[in-house]
Amino acid sequence: MALAIGACIGMAAAAQAAAGTPEHAAYVTSEGAGVTVLDIQTLKPVAEIAVGRKPRGIGISPDGRWLLTANQGSSDVSVVDTRTRKEIKRIKVGKNVEFMRITADGKRALVTYEPASLGGPPGKEGHEKEGKDSDDLPAEVAIIDLKKWAVVGRVKASPETEGIELTPDGTSMVVTNEGDNTIAVYNLATLKKTSSIDISSHGSRPRGIKVSPDGKSYVVTLENSGNYLVLDAQFKPIKTVATENGPYGVAFDPEGRYIWIAAARASQLQVFNADSHTLKASIPVGKRCWHFSFTPDAKKLLLACGRSNALQVIDTQKYEVADTLEGYKMPWGIITYPKSEGSLDAPSHSRK
């Protein structure tokens, strides 16, 4: 049965927040609203949090205390105290803020933005309409210090920088660049680029990127060519695998046995064997489903479907939609606390 977002705050969740302890919850950004907080057990909405305009990227500190959102419409990052569910600060970043990752040590947030982008509403395929020459202009990654609550560095990236992953040792940031079909690696201590991998011979428009739980490989979704690319730990391309149309969000399951990919243009959530890269399941889902997260127990997967204005609950054992939670306004990103594997986040223990 579909659940409406207008539900009241549950007594248990309210008591937990009042006690000042991090609650077990899922957090969803919606471009037409703010952040919805869901009880992780019942998946019922328990709160709405007002943040900046058009929140997209989202991250949470390792201790669950601070929730951050990348607000595309207001060009900033919101900082939310999860104990009170109130925004306490805004950090100005730049135009077209989108993707976010918080480092495993909880000290920094890494945020992509495009200073030269003219922005615009999503097109028919779910991709953003950019300014005339924006594909040729570099994006940047802002480095935010989570003690100072300030931008302390900026990395000049490549055209249309999109996804961010961290190397298992936490020393480097790996980003996908849609505009020039490259994957770039940056040293987080020096903020200098250490390598750039041209993947144009394997496909086009790299978007999502995830390192395997064992740290031995990376998977990159290639949106326009309908496939994903597997790279080894040194970022050497080793294999491409065909997917349905428009793959974006990607994550390994907690045990690293399967790769889950949101093929957004085909309205499919696909599951591949991580070893053989054979297709295990294709699940019909809603429209413009970009990002997703497992629940902490890995029994369910929560998928944000922007054009369907809904969150879909996937049974990870039966590989089917178990429920559709309606009433959202262009949901974009989703994470959980305790941290779960997903297209936007990962628990730190699996990245050591």
Side-chain angles (χ1 to χ4, degrees):
M1 180 178 178
L3 299 175
I5 286 207
C8 296
I9 295 176
M11 291 180 64
Q16 191 173 32
T21 58
E23 61 183 308
H24 291 191
Y27 299 91
V28 185
T29 53
S30 293
E31 294 179 79
V35 175
T36 301
V37 185
L38 301 179
D39 181 287
I40 203 66
Q41 297 299 325
T42 66
L43 299 183
K44 292 182 178 179
V46 296
E48 296 288 327
I49 302 173
V51 292
R53 289 185 291 111
K54 287 188 68 176
R56 283 193 154 197
I58 184 169
I60 194 165
S61 60
D63 62 3
R65 172 71 186 279
W66 307 110
L67 183 77
L68 277 68
T69 64
N71 308 315
Q72 188 183 59
S74 49
S75 303
D76 54 23
V77 166
S78 292
V79 181
V80 172
D81 186 333
T82 59
R83 299 178 304 179
T84 62
R85 302 193 185 113
K86 300 291 184 183
E87 179 189 69
I88 64 163
K89 183 178 284 292
R90 294 265 192 95
I91 303 168
K92 199 70 177 176
V93 174
K95 291 182 181 178
N96 205 26
V97 179
E98 185 166 25
F99 204 95
M100 173 188 294
R101 284 297 300 270
I102 292 177
T103 56
D105 60 13
K107 294 180 179 180
R108 290 176 287 183
L110 315 172
V111 185
T112 65
Y113 68 106
E114 297 175 27
S117 176
L118 300 180
K124 290 182 180 180
E125 300 293 348
H127 194 74
E128 308 317 303
K129 296 178 182 178
E130 302 294 343
K132 181 178 179 181
D133 299 317
S134 64
D135 279 2
D136 300 323
L137 298 171
E140 295 183 0
V141 181
I143 314 298
I144 297 176
D145 186 300
L146 299 192
K147 286 187 177 180
K148 298 178 180 178
W149 298 121
V151 175
V152 294
R154 296 179 190 269
V155 174
K156 186 74 72 175
S158 298
E160 292 192 87
T161 290
E162 183 64 29
I164 299 177
E165 182 57 292
L166 301 165
T167 54
D169 61 8
T171 63
S172 296
M173 167 180 69
V174 189
V175 301
T176 58
N177 303 305
E178 296 180 74
D180 66 0
N181 292 320
T182 63
I183 297 166
V185 184
Y186 298 86
N187 183 294
L188 283 174
T190 64
L191 302 186
K192 301 295 184 182
K193 184 188 293 185
T194 57
S195 62
S196 180
I197 302 94
D198 182 350
I199 57 89
S200 58
S201 63
H202 304 283
S204 65
R205 295 195 82 88
R207 298 203 80 181
I209 180 168
K210 276 290 170 179
V211 65
S212 60
D214 63 11
K216 294 181 179 179
S217 64
Y218 294 81
V219 171
V220 179
T221 52
L222 306 178
E223 184 182 44
N224 277 8
S225 52
N227 60 338
Y228 68 81
L229 174 65
V230 184
L231 303 97
D232 66 17
Q234 286 72 48
F235 308 106
K236 178 183 177 181
I238 56 177
K239 187 180 184 65
T240 56
V241 181
T243 68
E244 290 290 346
N245 198 20
Y248 182 10
V250 55
F252 287 82
D253 75 299
E255 296 180 354
R257 295 180 302 168
Y258 301 109
I259 300 166
W260 292 67
I261 290 178
R265 295 178 188 170
S267 297
Q268 295 279 326
L269 181 64
Q270 296 194 284
V271 187
F272 294 84
N273 288 286
D275 290 334
S276 65
H277 297 285
T278 54
L279 180 66
K280 182 174 181 63
S282 279
I283 307 166
V285 292
K287 297 178 180 179
R288 208 206 75 170
C289 305
W290 277 354
H291 292 295
F292 57 86
S293 177
F294 286 90
T295 53
D297 62 8
K299 293 181 178 179
K300 297 181 177 67
L301 181 144
L302 308 177
L303 178 67
C305 297
R307 287 293 184 187
S308 295
N309 293 316
L311 198 70
Q312 292 198 297
V313 183
I314 310 298
D315 186 314
T316 60
Q317 301 302 310
K318 297 180 179 179
Y319 301 103
E320 63 184 22
V321 176
D323 204 353
T324 298
L325 313 181
E326 299 177 337
Y328 290 81
K329 297 179 180 179
M330 293 283 286
W332 193 91
I334 180 165
I335 60 170
T336 70
Y337 187 81
K339 286 173 172 280
S340 308
E341 298 286 351
S343 60
L344 298 177
D345 205 358
S348 58
H349 68 78
S350 70
R351 297 295 182 255
K352 291 181 180 178

